[in-house]
Amino acid sequence: MTIACEFSREGHPQNGAGQAAYERTAPAFWRASDNRLLELARSGGTLSETLDSVCRFVEEVSGECRCGIYLIDWRGPTVRTGAAPGLAASFNAAICGLPVRSDSGPCARAAYLMTQVIAADLDSDPLWQASEFRSLALAHGLRSCWCTPICSPAGSVLGIFAILQRSPARPTPFQQNLIAGVAHVASIVIENARLAVTIRRSEAALAETERLSCTGSFVWRLSTDEVIGSGQLHRILELDESQPVTLGLIRSRIHPVDHPSVCEALERARSDGNDIEHEHRLLMPDQSIKYVRMTAHAARDPDGHLEYIGAIQDVTERRLSEAALGKARSELAHVARVVSLGPLSASIVHEVNQPLSGIVINASTCLRMLTADPPNVAGALETVRRALRDARLASEIIARLHALFTKKEPKIGSVELNEVTRELLTLLQSDLQRHRVSLRAELAEDLPPVIGDRVQLQQVILNLLLNALEAMNSIDDRSRRLVVRTEQEDGDRVRLSVSDSGVGLDFQIAERLFEPFYTTKRSGMGIGLFVSRFIIEHHRGWLRAAPNDGPGAMFSFSIPSLGREAMSSCCRAPRGP
Ligand code: ADP
């Protein structure tokens, strides 16, 4: 590089003729030197490479001097070597780690005071007599040291630019100008390097967060259909990271069954610019299936064009575990139903026995009538008819029990809660009598049907009824009363409550009863209420327990009925047991 050869190595005009030349050519020199410094700043090298070049440049144009750019680590705060290619390694090593204080040498002092420090003669200047830096510099043959803070635009000290010379000296105006240029360029270079580190760190953090949350991000420019996808998006779509993500590639991964709905969502977004929320499946090249959730928000790019910034989250594990949970709950519900069989068995025996003994009695009467002389055909016919009626009744009871205790997939339809309740109360009649329980059924007339699974709802009501009976088992000093009520509620809902005069419950533990395996019974399993609440919540309802004003407790649930609103939105099958 050639810069202004009229200048001496000390950086000032050599004689009177030179003075004129200096005044004539100085502006051009400053421009050239500033340009060169800016070129170095833009060179794209590493921080230390660029700072090294800056130091060499100054040493080249500024005469017999050595330069160092030292960074300040404000965590110490201490001085660190950034670049000092012309200074001895032993000198730099001793500078590195110096505390930022006013008495640890000119560099640390300049950082500490945030001002330029000119040590024109380290040997004689009384300020440095006690400083370790003085002996270090003198030992390396350096007598003067000029240190200038390199400040960020926000005003914090990023580093120090130091010029050291073998003889006592003060900076010339030329050198002061050069120092100012270097401090400015070095601040840009150091600040950029810091920003680059921050950006790299946040990119790494983002990539790690995306990996942990199985979420890939993307930007979709609608005007060109260009898609920019993160590394994690590539991994979710199982694409090579060097391969650019395109809308076509994204589409090719969508499960054929979900293809129309995704395309519709994207087309809708294209026309209305609303947020995208969509869950669908991907069919991977090895035929495995992934469940993904896409969320995107519309924004404008700097040119005002519409683009979507979004995320695609792989929710496969969650969906699979939900399915497993649903299956486990279904097993649990089945167990709960089978467990209910124990307390019910007396009723079942009674219910089935009644028509069976009716059949036996009618059949023997019929036999007697037919073998009489003369045979009583009309009487026999009547007894056969009665036997047939009893047989049908027995078969109906068995079918009901079968529905209740066999494991079935949820079957959604219109359910009459009053009818289900009546059936169960009939089934429990002998239990009620045996336990001396008086029953009051207050079933609302014209109760609208609900949408749901009949067997599941039967199971909930049965569980509430059996619990109520058990809660009254130990009560002997007052009457055992069971009140079953159905009523229509505001907002197209139906409520069913079972109230007893049993042991009751504390408000504080009312919620604990619904926890799985919470039981106070010696042979209880503690799953009935847990499963019941699960079922009711999947019927978009609630199930609660509360102590009665008097003795006992009341359990009630409320679910949407087949009203106007329910008709339109309730046809979603519960996924539960
Ligand atoms: P389990 O009947 O096997 O104990 P549940 O989940 O049906 O399981 O009930 C959990 C617990 O809730 C019972 O053990 C009992 O302590 C309490 N509980 C249920 N129903 C009543 C009721 N009607 N009155 C008082 N406590 C009740």
Side-chain angles (χ1 to χ4, degrees), residues 244-257:
V245 185
T246 62
L247 215 52
L249 269 174
I250 294 180
R251 282 204 181 106
S252 70
R253 290 285 196 254
I254 299 168
H255 193 289
V257 176

Side-chain angles (χ1 to χ4, degrees), residues 463 467-468 470-471 500 503-505 513 518-521 524-530 553 555:
N463 188 47
N467 275 347
E470 280 172 355
D500 60 58
V503 290
L505 50 93
L513 310 183
Y518 176 87
T519 183
T520 52
K521 299 170 194 166
M525 284 193 65
I527 51 176
L529 287 178
F530 167 67
F555 285 73

Side-chain angles (χ1 to χ4, degrees), residues 231-241 243 249 253 282-290 314:
Q232 187 61 28
L233 184 69
H234 281 80
R235 284 188 282 283
I236 292 174
L237 297 174
E238 294 179 15
L239 297 174
D240 195 292
E241 273 207 43
Q243 197 175 0
L249 269 174
R253 290 285 196 254
L282 304 180
L283 183 60
M284 307 318 291
D286 64 358
Q287 300 304 302
S288 63
I289 287 181
K290 281 186 184 175
D314 184 344

Side-chain angles (χ1 to χ4, degrees), residues 26 95 251 339 376 393 537:
I95 296 262
R251 282 204 181 106
V339 167
N376 179 356
L393 186 61
E537 283 177 355

Side-chain angles (χ1 to χ4, degrees), residues 398-416:
I398 288 165
R400 254 185 352 233
L401 292 172
H402 184 71
L404 198 55
F405 296 109
T406 46
K407 193 163 167 264
K408 278 190 180 167
E409 285 302 304
K411 220 165 116 192
I412 305 305
S414 152
V415 182
E416 300 280 353

